[in-house]
Amino acid sequence: MRHDTPHWTPSPANPTKPEHSPPGADPDQPAQLRRILRLFRPYRGRLALVGLLVAASALVSVASPFLLREILDTAIPERRTGLLSLLALGMIAAAVVTSVFGVLQTLISTTVGQRVMHDLRTAVYDRLQRMPLAFFTRTRTGEVQSRIANDIGGMQATVTSTATSLVSNLTSVVATVVAMLALDWRLTVVSLLLLPLFVWISRRVGRERKRITSQRQKQMAAMSAMVTESLSVSGILLGRTMGRSDSLTRDFARESERLVGLEVRSSMAGRWRMSTIGIVMAAMPALIYWAAGMVLDSGGPSVSLGTLVAFVSLQQGLFRPAVGLLSTGVDIQTSLALFQRIFEYLDLPIDITEPAEPVRLEKVRGEVRFDRVDFTYGKEPSTNGSSTNGSSTDEAGAQGSSAKGSQLTLSGIDLTVPAGGSLAVVGPTGSGKTTLSYLVPRLYDVTGGRILIDGVDVRDLDFDTLSRAVGVVSQETYLFHASVADNLRFAKPDARDEELVAAARAAQIHDHIASLPEGYDTLVGERGYRFSGGEKQRLAIARTILRDPPVLILDEATSALDTRTEHAVQQAVDTLSAGRTTITIAHRLSTVRDADQIVVLDGGRVAERGSHEELLARGGRYAALVRRDESLAPVAPAG
């Protein structure tokens, strides 16, 4: 057991990389770029339109220097005012058309970029929804939130403007260079001599920013995890009751200080080198004038004033797209770090999937059979080695010890619960009780053997059938920060108000809800903290009643309640269990005396089975558990 102070800093050994690096989680750059480009494939029609607008805008913009040359070399010297007016209007029209095209291409490209971000967010969320339960017991919630919010949010500028910027700047550079060659190829060669140096500098800057960006996102994930944990209701209660509020603030300040340094480094990475490019490009007109003068002084062919001014205008026009093109390359390098973090999540393996041709049961009777079931907690993919969600069940220790595959958590379980029958599972802490209940709704898949509902392996059922067939009420009730009605309707979105009331009455909670100022519209607070433990349990039971599953899993639903509250909740449980196949995971044996069959688990195996009276008469493990339970009854914990 560790006794050090809780700390939110990620492990330095690549904390955000999955323990099992999925295929493609660390791809080479060309493969990663191809994958990024595939994200834009559904919008290629709009991108083609952007390309046309960009090309038209570039062609129109390079026409202005040629119009300027005609003004300086022809219209003004020859005093042709009509021609001068037309050329001036042409320059104004070119500016207007370029601006209009720019607005249109920005609108389209931004829309495409936002759709790509929406697709990424949805894909990551969908992937996480299908991850096994073990992933969430080993991954910090803040880390998950950071991937969706910070990483995808950090790509906004890249995906919304990079494609347009790349095409626009590339088209402008090509069109401008062609125009410069048409004016004077010698001056063009002088202008482009330093281009390879600029490309080399921008690539160096891009690699540096990519490395810093990866470090910055990991630090942001660490801060997000700390905020999620320490500023939740549970975190605030723990921090204040332990007198650690000041310590937590200092921890957060240290994390924030690290982020400050990374943000500054990210902002300044390559700034001096890119400034050098800007200085050189700004000095290019002087170099062009000097080169033209030297050519003329050496007896070479002269360059007209109009050509020289038009060329310098083009050369200056080349500066913006050229620097933009180099900056785009830097941005792409930087964004690769963000895309890689997102692709790590998208590439996580999904262990629990529907079969190619799933079985759908229109009506489930509810017979549950465990056929030689074995199970062990394998090492699940995770993005953070430490578990902060942690299981609160009696199998928490079993998960950790068996993760290495050293022993089976469950072994050779053969049980049958007839439709409408009841099974109670008891045993010491770590015996595998909760694990057994997790296997029925496929929160985990069995390692060996089968679990069947109405004779069909649960792995062959479609997810909708399975979710309709099996309902779970656990010790830790989760309620959303929403109204009572919304929490109940999570089980049945189209439920009428009358159905909500009926379910609440059956769960012995309607009178309390009705006494609240806002009734069923009352906000329950984060994780239901406006309600007591017993009230939250009865809300969970009402939610399950609304769902109306034929198979019911009760996972120590009353173990943390005082005797009086337990009695009220037990009445609701009895109402819920009536006519359903019920599997009860029990800590207090007084709640399972009337079960049709009681099974004692020990070390993951069935040690005893029978009715309450039969097992008491046998005087074995169950009888010993009953004696212990009765001796502890006077000091049962308060709810």
Side-chain angles (χ1 to χ4, degrees):
M1 181 180 292
R2 295 182 59 179
H3 298 281
D4 51 340
T5 302
H7 191 48
W8 284 268
T9 305
S11 165
N14 200 0
T16 58
K17 189 163 184 169
E19 293 178 20
H20 288 289
S21 297
D26 210 358
D28 57 278
Q29 273 195 23
Q32 193 169 358
L33 286 172
R34 286 193 297 270
R35 187 171 184 180
I36 293 171
L37 290 175
R38 284 199 296 270
L39 297 173
F40 292 87
R41 186 176 297 169
Y43 310 102
R44 52 183 177 269
R46 300 186 202 181
L47 291 176
L49 179 57
V50 170
L52 290 175
L53 290 171
V54 166
S57 179
L59 292 175
V60 171
S61 64
V62 297
S64 290
F66 289 92
L67 297 175
L68 177 61
R69 182 181 66 174
E70 291 303 310
I71 288 174
L72 294 176
D73 286 348
T74 304
I76 293 178
E78 298 178 7
R79 300 183 179 182
R80 297 170 58 181
T81 56
L83 179 61
L84 177 62
S85 298
L86 287 175
L87 293 172
L89 286 173
M91 293 182 68
I92 294 172
V96 171
V97 171
T98 301
S99 297
V100 171
F101 284 176
V103 171
L104 291 176
Q105 71 190 40
T106 299
L107 172 62
I108 298 173
S109 62
T110 301
T111 301
V112 169
Q114 289 296 331
R115 297 305 305 176
V116 170
M117 289 181 63
H118 163 74
D119 294 343
L120 276 174
R121 281 194 297 265
T122 304
V124 171
Y125 187 85
D126 177 67
R127 193 75 173 190
L128 292 172
Q129 281 286 345
R130 294 185 287 147
M131 292 303 296
L133 184 63
F135 173 85
F136 298 98
T137 65
R138 300 180 183 182
T139 305
R140 303 166 76 181
T141 304
E143 162 72 16
V144 174
Q145 293 174 344
S146 181
R147 297 277 176 131
I148 295 177
N150 295 334
D151 293 351
I152 296 180
M155 294 186 299
Q156 177 166 335
T158 303
V159 299
T160 56
S161 62
T162 296
T164 302
S165 179
L166 183 65
V167 175
S168 176
N169 290 326
L170 183 61
T171 305
S172 296
V173 167
V174 172
T176 302
V177 170
V178 170
M180 290 167 65
L181 287 170
L183 286 173
D184 193 295
W185 68 269
R186 294 159 301 177
L187 296 179
T188 303
V189 171
V190 172
S191 298
L192 301 179
L193 281 176
L194 297 176
L195 185 60
L197 174 63
F198 296 163
V199 172
W200 179 79
I201 290 176
S202 67
R203 288 178 63 85
R204 287 286 301 272
V205 172
R207 284 195 292 269
E208 184 178 355
R209 288 190 182 174
K210 178 184 178 183
R211 178 175 52 81
I212 296 173
T213 296
S214 181
Q215 296 174 355
R216 182 187 64 188
Q217 295 305 117
K218 291 176 184 177
Q219 187 62 29
M220 290 177 69
M223 284 186 61
S224 179
M226 181 178 183
V227 168
T228 300
E229 294 163 8
S230 62
L231 293 185
S232 65
V233 174
S234 300
I236 289 292
L237 287 173
L238 181 63
R240 290 183 180 175
T241 55
M242 294 290 180
R244 298 300 304 277
S245 296
D246 292 341
S247 174
L248 289 171
T249 300
R250 288 193 295 272
D251 286 345
F252 181 81
R254 281 195 296 269
E255 297 298 321
S256 181
E257 188 68 30
R258 291 190 183 97
L259 185 60
V260 168
L262 288 170
E263 290 285 7
V264 172
R265 287 174 57 196
S266 176
S267 178
M268 294 304 297
R271 187 67 63 184
W272 286 111
R273 279 173 282 186
M274 296 301 287
S275 296
T276 301
I277 294 177
I279 292 170
V280 173
M281 296 293 282
M284 286 302 293
L287 181 61
I288 296 300
Y289 291 135
W290 175 82
M294 294 301 293
V295 169
L296 183 63
D297 185 65
S298 63
S302 62
V303 179
S304 70
L305 177 62
T307 299
L308 188 60
V309 171
F311 188 90
V312 170
S313 177
L314 280 171
Q315 195 274 329
Q316 285 294 92
L318 180 65
F319 169 75
R320 182 190 59 79
V323 172
L325 202 57
L326 297 176
S327 298
T328 299
V330 171
D331 292 340
I332 290 175
Q333 287 282 324
T334 302
S335 66
L336 288 178
L338 302 178
F339 275 108
Q340 182 170 328
R341 286 171 58 82
I342 296 302
F343 290 155
E344 281 179 3
Y345 265 23
L346 291 177
D347 292 338
L348 286 171
I350 298 175
D351 297 331
I352 298 178
T353 59
E354 274 190 341
E357 297 182 3
V359 176
R360 182 177 182 85
L361 300 178
E362 295 302 327
K363 184 173 179 58
V364 177
R365 292 183 297 106
E367 181 192 70
V368 178
R369 182 158 65 94
F370 296 83
D371 181 18
R372 300 189 305 278
V373 169
D374 295 337
F375 179 77
T376 184
Y377 287 94
K379 195 173 183 182
E380 300 290 347
S382 167
T383 57
N384 196 320
S386 63
S387 171
T388 56
N389 293 343
S391 175
S392 64
T393 68
D394 60 24
E395 272 66 43
Q399 289 187 36
S401 64
S402 62
K404 298 177 183 178
S406 58
Q407 63 181 13
L408 291 173
T409 304
L410 295 172
S411 178
I413 304 297
D414 269 307
L415 296 169
T416 299
V417 189
S422 60
L423 168 72
V425 183
V426 301
T429 298
S431 59
K433 302 188 300 296
T434 296
T435 297
L436 189 70
S437 71
Y438 283 166
L439 299 179
V440 179
R442 285 195 76 192
L443 297 179
Y444 295 98
D445 269 341
V446 297
T447 305
R450 301 178 300 164
I451 295 178
L452 304 100
I453 294 179
D454 291 353
V456 180
D457 193 322
V458 293
R459 291 169 295 186
D460 294 331
L461 291 172
D462 73 305
F463 287 153
D464 182 61
T465 295
L466 189 58
S467 67
R468 284 188 293 104
V470 183
V472 179
V473 178
S474 64
Q475 174 184 344
E476 291 193 5
T477 301
Y478 187 87
L479 298 175
F480 294 102
H481 185 62
S483 69
V484 172
D486 288 339
N487 273 279
L488 294 178
R489 283 197 174 96
F490 190 75
K492 187 178 180 182
D494 59 348
R496 302 186 309 276
D497 291 345
E498 296 80 11
E499 293 178 275
L500 300 186
V501 172
R505 286 188 187 280
Q508 310 282 325
I509 191 65
H510 169 73
D511 290 343
H512 177 71
I513 298 173
S515 70
L516 298 173
E518 298 179 70
Y520 283 82
D521 293 326
T522 302
L523 287 177
V524 302
E526 184 182 357
R527 299 181 65 87
Y529 270 90
R530 292 186 63 177
F531 291 81
S532 70
E535 290 162 356
K536 287 192 292 184
Q537 283 290 61
R538 281 175 279 174
L539 282 173
I541 291 169
R543 187 166 56 190
T544 305
I545 290 173
L546 205 59
R547 184 72 174 168
D548 194 24
V551 178
L552 181 63
I553 308 291
L554 299 172
D555 183 8
E556 302 197 37
T558 64
S559 65
L561 306 177
D562 61 75
T563 305
R564 182 178 177 182
T565 305
E566 178 187 2
H567 179 70
V569 173
Q570 190 60 48
Q571 284 184 307
V573 168
D574 293 340
T575 301
L576 174 61
S577 304
R580 306 177 198 275
T581 304
T582 306
I583 300 176
T584 304
I585 309 301
H587 177 73
R588 293 186 185 177
L589 304 187
S590 59
T591 63
V592 300
R593 296 173 184 266
D594 296 329
D596 298 338
Q597 182 180 189
I598 299 174
V599 168
V600 181
L601 288 185
D602 191 5
R605 295 178 179 272
V606 175
E608 292 180 334
R609 72 176 76 194
S611 67
H612 173 71
E613 290 77 13
E614 291 170 347
L615 293 176
L616 277 182
R618 195 174 300 170
R621 288 181 173 86
Y622 180 77
L625 290 172
V626 170
R627 289 193 295 270
R628 185 201 65 181
D629 195 41
E630 290 174 346
S631 68
L632 294 176
V635 291

